[in-house]
Amino acid sequence: MAAQASAAPVRVGRAVWLSAATMASRLLGLVRDQLFAILIGANRFSDAFVVAFRIPNLLRDLFAEGALSSAFVPAFAEAHGNRGADAAYRLGNAIVAVLLVVVGTITIAGVAFAGPIVRGIAPGLEEHALAATLTRVMMPFLLLVSLSSVAMGMLNAQQRFTAPALAPAVFNVGSIAVGLGLWAAGLPPHRAVIGWSIGTVLGGALQLVAQLPSLRALGWRPRLVLARAALADPGVRRIFRLMAAAVVGLSATQVNVLVNTFFASHVEGATTWLQMAFRLMQLPLGVFGVAIATVAGAGVAQKAAARDMAAVNATLASALRLIAFLNVPSAVGLAVLARPIISLIYEHGRFGAADTDATGQALICYALGLYAYSGVKVLAPAFYAIDKARVPVIGSVLGMVSNVALNAALFPALGYRGVALGTSLAAGVNYAVLAWAWRRREGTLGGKGILVQLWKVLAASAVLAVVAWAVQRGLGGVLPPRKTLPRQLLLGLLPVAAGGLAYLAAARALGIPELQELATALRRRRTPPAPPAA
């Protein structure tokens, strides 16, 4: 593979820009989580919120950002490319009409049956009544974010990535604004958590509204479509056919989350510890994994519609190499520096040192699955783009079975840590199934090139681990033992910086080509375009 960015099937410059936009959102998400930790801490009230939010959030992952996105983007891209923008937007409006009816009905049902749902998924939860109340408050979030996903799909399918990448940042801004108001009011945890739930719904509304100007600029206009007429549209039928398979496959992932919640609910604070750890693991997953998967997925959808499988394979191989280059060292860094990172971000207000230790142990277990999580996000949409939805369904089901078995086996010995470890190992099973199936079908997925690059990345990540650990230990020995913000900043940031520089140096010494591609892409972003010739 050439070391020039222009030769990479995945447009590295676009992925870098999308990663930067996503980074802004994720950093705001960390601020949001910090406020949550300060206001509420890790206790039965925070557990009630996590369980309550999990209900609309799981349905969002299942129907909106999961099955719908996987099925809608290829169909919209094909309609736009073959029949024009008007036909594509008619398809988008038809999907909106169906969502208003279907997801609206689910939202109403969630409000009506919040109590039994909470008791079913978290039998060990102490604050059942509070969790049911919070569920009723947050169920409209599901409808708002489903509509937001349609807007996001229409923009991504037209290679417009900035507004969808920044929309979650707007969600976090709305939530943070409400959180600051709650902090200023000095509310106790059981009251602050209700206000936090209202802020979550407000953030969902802002996430939808933030994308509408970009859609209007591209020519989209909302049109009233009756749900019955929408279901008669061949494009809608194709989307729902793909969604049916995707829902089955993704439901396995949601079953994993429910199983994790079931076990964790029996330990006070564990649901919150796992949630905080998973959010930190999602930082590199969202900044690098999802960004690369989004750019690659849009390219795969277009190339698959043109029946150019050689280009599809090249795009997937390039995406997997980029994910390895960025997310493997991220996972190693999170595992080695789990405690100082968590202390810096969360250990304030009502979130104590014991919570930091517990969250750090969960983060180490989650970090083991980061590469697999990212790989699944790249490979699964590719199967949907070529109308082979059965394969990711099988991968998800096998991952689910593995997760249930691993949780049952590991929880008695490791407690909540076994929940995180089982989740990571199950993600590895899912990724292995998808990679094996693609190579068996297409005969290639980068082959030895990916394996050689992965070994080099692992070697460079080992250098990162040693340097980061040594700097952390050295600082810990010379800094005053009393916990202060400057001490947290030094222990949390200096080892990260030292480890990152060591990784880049090792990557250069080992000749990993993605380093040069990213450097070239960054230089192009900084260099203004040349003026047109006279």
Side-chain angles (χ1 to χ4, degrees), residues 225-485:
V225 181
L226 295 177
R228 181 177 298 178
L231 289 171
D233 187 306
V236 173
R237 291 201 300 270
R238 179 198 172 195
I239 290 171
F240 274 88
R241 176 172 57 82
L242 290 173
M243 278 188 68
V247 165
V248 174
L250 290 168
S251 64
T253 302
Q254 311 317 317
V255 168
N256 288 344
V257 177
L258 292 176
V259 169
N260 295 351
T261 304
F262 181 92
F263 281 100
S265 70
H266 292 85
V267 179
E268 182 178 341
T271 303
T272 304
W273 299 330
L274 290 169
Q275 174 72 4
M276 295 293 195
F278 194 73
R279 290 279 292 177
L280 279 176
M281 193 273 291
Q282 283 182 313
L283 180 61
L285 177 63
V287 171
F288 302 132
V290 174
I292 294 168
T294 300
V295 175
V300 165
Q302 291 181 338
K303 294 174 178 71
R307 304 294 187 265
D308 187 353
M309 291 308 298
V312 169
N313 282 321
T315 300
L316 290 178
S318 176
L320 290 174
R321 286 193 295 269
L322 275 173
I323 279 175
F325 179 74
L326 294 169
N327 275 358
V328 169
S330 297
V332 172
L334 286 175
V336 172
L337 302 174
R339 198 193 184 290
I341 290 173
I342 293 167
S343 176
L344 172 62
I345 296 173
Y346 295 135
E347 196 176 322
H348 310 283
R350 296 183 170 111
F351 196 95
D355 298 318
T356 294
D357 290 334
T359 305
Q361 293 175 52
L363 179 58
I364 292 171
C365 296
Y366 275 135
L368 296 174
L370 180 56
Y371 176 73
Y373 282 118
S374 303
V376 169
K377 288 186 177 294
V378 168
L379 287 177
F383 283 100
Y384 294 116
I386 62 173
D387 277 346
K388 297 296 179 183
R390 182 172 59 91
V391 176
V393 170
I394 293 172
S396 292
V397 170
L398 290 176
M400 176 197 70
V401 172
S402 300
N403 188 63
V404 173
L406 288 165
N407 268 290
L410 296 173
F411 185 79
L414 299 177
Y416 70 94
R417 295 174 293 274
V419 172
L421 181 59
T423 301
S424 292
L425 295 176
V429 171
N430 192 356
Y431 174 67
V433 169
L434 295 182
W436 175 82
W438 189 274
R439 291 196 64 183
R440 188 167 182 263
R441 172 184 167 79
E442 298 299 328
T444 180
L445 191 59
K448 292 182 179 179
I450 286 182
L451 291 177
V452 170
Q453 187 251 19
L454 182 58
W455 281 113
K456 290 183 178 180
V457 166
L458 288 170
S461 298
V463 175
L464 179 157
V466 171
V467 171
W469 178 83
V471 171
Q472 179 201 353
R473 289 297 299 270
L475 286 172
V478 299
L479 292 174
R482 189 168 63 89
K483 190 192 81 171
T484 61
L485 182 58

Side-chain angles (χ1 to χ4, degrees), residues 31-42:
V31 174
R32 177 175 175 265
D33 287 346
Q34 281 182 315
L35 272 174
F36 183 88
I38 291 169
L39 286 167
I40 301 162

Side-chain angles (χ1 to χ4, degrees), residues 111-267:
V111 171
F113 299 103
I117 293 172
V118 168
R119 284 192 293 272
I121 68 172
L125 191 67
E126 185 174 345
E127 294 286 342
H128 276 113
L130 177 60
T133 299
L134 300 181
T135 300
R136 295 185 185 98
V137 171
M138 289 188 286
M139 278 307 298
F141 174 82
L142 172 62
L143 181 57
L144 292 168
V145 80
S146 297
L147 297 174
S148 176
S149 292
V150 176
M152 184 179 297
M154 289 192 282
L155 289 168
N156 284 338
Q158 298 176 80
Q159 304 288 309
R160 298 293 190 273
F161 300 112
T162 300
L166 291 176
V170 179
F171 164 79
N172 287 321
V173 167
S175 299
I176 289 169
V178 173
L180 289 173
L182 297 171
W183 178 64
L187 296 178
H190 66 281
R191 294 181 59 192
V193 77
I194 296 175
W196 193 267
S197 300
I198 296 171
T200 299
V201 178
L202 173 63
L206 293 175
Q207 182 174 339
L208 169 62
V209 172
Q211 298 179 81
L212 298 183
S214 296
L215 268 180
R216 288 187 63 85
L218 290 173
W220 171 82
R221 297 293 183 272
R223 295 288 184 268
L224 179 63
V225 181
L226 295 177
R228 181 177 298 178
L231 289 171
D233 187 306
V236 173
R237 291 201 300 270
R238 179 198 172 195
I239 290 171
F240 274 88
R241 176 172 57 82
L242 290 173
M243 278 188 68
V247 165
V248 174
L250 290 168
S251 64
T253 302
Q254 311 317 317
V255 168
N256 288 344
V257 177
L258 292 176
V259 169
N260 295 351
T261 304
F262 181 92
F263 281 100
S265 70
H266 292 85
V267 179

Side-chain angles (χ1 to χ4, degrees), residues 67-136:
L68 178 60
S69 295
S70 297
F72 178 66
V73 172
F76 186 91
E78 184 178 36
H80 196 280
N82 298 334
R83 290 181 283 138
D86 289 343
Y89 288 140
R90 282 196 299 272
L91 177 62
N93 285 324
I95 289 296
V96 167
V98 175
L99 283 179
L100 287 172
V101 174
V102 175
V103 180
T105 301
I106 294 172
T107 299
I108 294 171
V111 171
F113 299 103
I117 293 172
V118 168
R119 284 192 293 272
I121 68 172
L125 191 67
E126 185 174 345
E127 294 286 342
H128 276 113
L130 177 60
T133 299
L134 300 181
T135 300
R136 295 185 185 98

